[in-house]
Amino acid sequence: MQIAEARALDCAYFDANRCRSCTLLPTPYALQLTEQQARIEALLPTMAWDAPHASAVGGFRNKAKMVVAGTVAAPTLGILAPDGSGIDLQACPLHEQPLVAAMPTLEAFVREARITPYDVPSRRGELKHLILTASPDGELALRLVLRSSEALPRIRKHLDLLASLPFTSVSANLQPEHKAVLEGEEELLLAGSGVLVMRVNDIGLRLRPRSFFQTNTAVAAALYRQASGWIDEADPESVLDLYCGVGGFALHAARAGRRVAGVEVTAEAIDAARETAAELRVDASFAVGDATGVDLEGARAPELVVVNPPRRGIGSLAARLEASAVERLVYSSCNPATLARDLAAMPSLRPVRGRVFDMFPHTEHAEVLVELARRRGALAGRTGTPGLAMPRL
């Protein structure tokens, strides 16, 4: 007879039916992991699996994306109800403590600076979102997503209200369009250096306002360690990191003394990766470019490629990897469905092993790391010496 376990996390918002984002919250955490592993294994080809890497059940999110609603006198920071009104979630138990502790100051800032919350039903108002990120060192970065520049003079005038918080960056993003797109093209630095250092496994990854980083720092650190371990076992001379972001996978691999290159479409992320590489004094080069356009066909194809694409997967890059001389691939995916599609498009690259990393407890989302190796004989007819590829820009 199975003994029922208590749920892993108490949440007053869930109990009051105010927020149901954590759909699996009533399920005991050990069972969440077991069922998650089974779902992912059923989607993917047969391979060896390490035990899933668990997360803390609460206080793990390093980023709070708060929809701002309500009124200037009584703003809400949280999510929207189906009718477009605001639901305040300032004490969300998923967020790291520095984020929770900062929320009352941010609410007071909105009131004192008289930044009108954006009202979705009427399409009026200014402040759409507050995006707050915390580093492992306890520092903070804030982005205010605004409909226009109308509130900027008042925001600048009242920035001293934020002086009690350890901000390294405060910026405003202008998003004038009324659509489900979080941010616009224009970003204005209002205070600080514009850089938040995320210290992960003793590597200081630099985040600028538009930079992507995993929302669960502890599990991201474990993901990087696992990928680095697999790369160390393969011991390639050259590694190419596609969709490299601020260089997490690449810089971990380069620290072992091998030549590494990274490619990312976002220029500010590449600037950050270059700065960290210089600080670490490693043999790593980074270029702005489209990962799908990197030269994999030439005589300088890398021995090992890392891919960490967005949810849509690698698309046409799968066929190019299949036709290349790349011997090994380490694929980090946040979407098992597109991962399964991409693996099917690379039959010469055999999945060797995988591991699930639970970045998002209490939901069905997960990060999956898979190592693939070229099947014996699959390189017949191909020419070229493995080396290090860079994009044709």
Side-chain angles (χ1 to χ4, degrees):
M1 182 177 69
Q2 185 176 11
I3 299 175
E5 297 180 48
R7 77 182 192 198
L9 181 69
D10 290 326
C11 179
Y13 301 118
F14 189 91
D15 293 342
N17 205 32
R18 293 179 61 75
C19 176
R20 291 280 169 152
S21 299
C22 296
T23 55
L24 302 182
L25 192 60
T27 305
Y29 187 55
L31 183 57
Q32 289 183 34
L33 289 178
T34 299
E35 293 180 343
Q36 181 185 72
Q37 181 72 37
R39 284 194 301 271
I40 291 169
E41 286 192 35
L43 275 173
L44 301 180
T46 300
M47 70 185 85
W49 287 94
D50 289 346
H53 190 285
S55 169
V57 296
F60 58 83
R61 287 190 66 97
N62 59 36
K63 180 179 287 188
K65 298 179 181 179
M66 312 300 280
V67 178
V68 184
T71 65
V72 171
T76 62
L77 312 181
I79 60 174
L80 292 180
D83 65 359
S85 62
I87 298 174
D88 196 86
L89 300 178
Q90 292 187 40
C92 173
L94 300 186
H95 292 152
E96 292 183 3
Q97 186 54 38
L99 303 181
V100 177
M103 290 299 165
T105 300
L106 294 180
E107 181 190 338
F109 176 71
V110 173
R111 292 197 310 267
E112 294 298 320
R114 301 197 62 77
I115 317 170
T116 308
Y118 186 71
D119 182 72
V120 172
S122 68
R123 303 190 179 191
R124 302 175 71 176
E126 289 298 320
L127 182 55
K128 295 183 174 184
H129 295 87
L130 292 176
I131 305 174
L132 186 65
T133 306
S135 78
D137 297 330
E139 294 178 326
L140 300 171
L142 174 65
R143 300 178 74 198
L144 300 96
V145 181
L146 303 166
R147 185 178 63 86
S148 74
S149 60
E150 184 273 334
L152 285 177
R154 298 193 303 281
I155 290 171
R156 288 190 170 99
K157 179 180 177 180
H158 290 87
L159 282 175
D160 61 322
L161 296 174
L162 303 177
S164 63
L165 297 174
F167 283 113
T168 65
S169 175
V170 178
S171 65
N173 180 273
L174 302 186
Q175 167 53 300
E177 299 185 67
H178 181 84
K179 61 181 182 180
V181 176
L182 182 64
E183 62 185 44
E185 294 298 321
E186 187 174 2
E187 190 90 24
L188 304 170
L189 182 64
L190 305 178
S193 66
V195 176
L196 182 69
V197 176
M198 303 293 285
R199 204 162 301 284
V200 180
N201 300 323
D202 296 323
I203 295 177
L205 300 173
R206 290 161 165 79
L207 302 190
R208 290 185 169 86
R210 293 176 178 273
S211 299
F212 168 79
F213 187 74
Q214 301 283 3
T215 59
N216 190 323
T217 305
V219 177
L223 176 71
Y224 291 140
R225 290 194 301 270
Q226 184 72 79
S228 297
W230 289 353
I231 293 170
D232 288 345
E233 288 181 26
D235 196 25
E237 289 186 9
S238 57
V239 175
L240 177 62
D241 182 4
L242 301 179
Y243 312 93
C244 70
V246 296
F249 288 104
L251 292 166
H252 277 77
R255 199 165 53 169
R258 55 182 53 91
R259 290 181 299 125
V260 173
V263 177
E264 165 64 43
V265 71
T266 306
E268 73 169 24
I270 289 298
D271 290 341
R274 289 169 175 165
E275 290 171 10
T276 307
E279 179 182 74
L280 295 173
R281 298 182 179 179
V282 294
D283 187 1
S285 59
F286 295 92
V288 178
D290 182 352
T292 63
V294 172
D295 180 8
L296 297 171
E297 289 77 22
R300 300 292 292 169
E303 293 177 51
L304 187 146
V305 171
V306 178
V307 293
N308 182 29
R311 290 188 59 81
R312 64 178 178 272
I314 62 175
S316 62
L317 179 59
R320 297 186 58 235
L321 284 165
E322 166 67 12
S324 75
V326 172
E327 290 279 355
R328 284 185 180 267
L329 178 68
V330 175
Y331 192 140
S332 183
S333 169
C334 62
N335 186 345
T338 55
L339 172 61
R341 179 205 65 200
D342 292 340
L343 296 185
M346 299 183 290
S348 294
L349 287 161
R350 176 178 58 88
V352 176
R353 52 187 167 180
R355 192 173 189 187
V356 175
F357 291 81
D358 193 20
M359 293 280 182
F360 318 100
H362 322 304
T363 75
E364 293 189 353
H365 298 292
E367 191 82 13
V368 185
L369 191 69
V370 175
E371 181 186 17
L372 299 96
R374 183 74 62 181
R375 296 179 189 274
R376 289 185 178 180
L379 286 174
R382 295 190 177 108
T383 61
T385 302
L388 188 60
M390 287 302 292
R392 291 186 295 239
L393 300 178

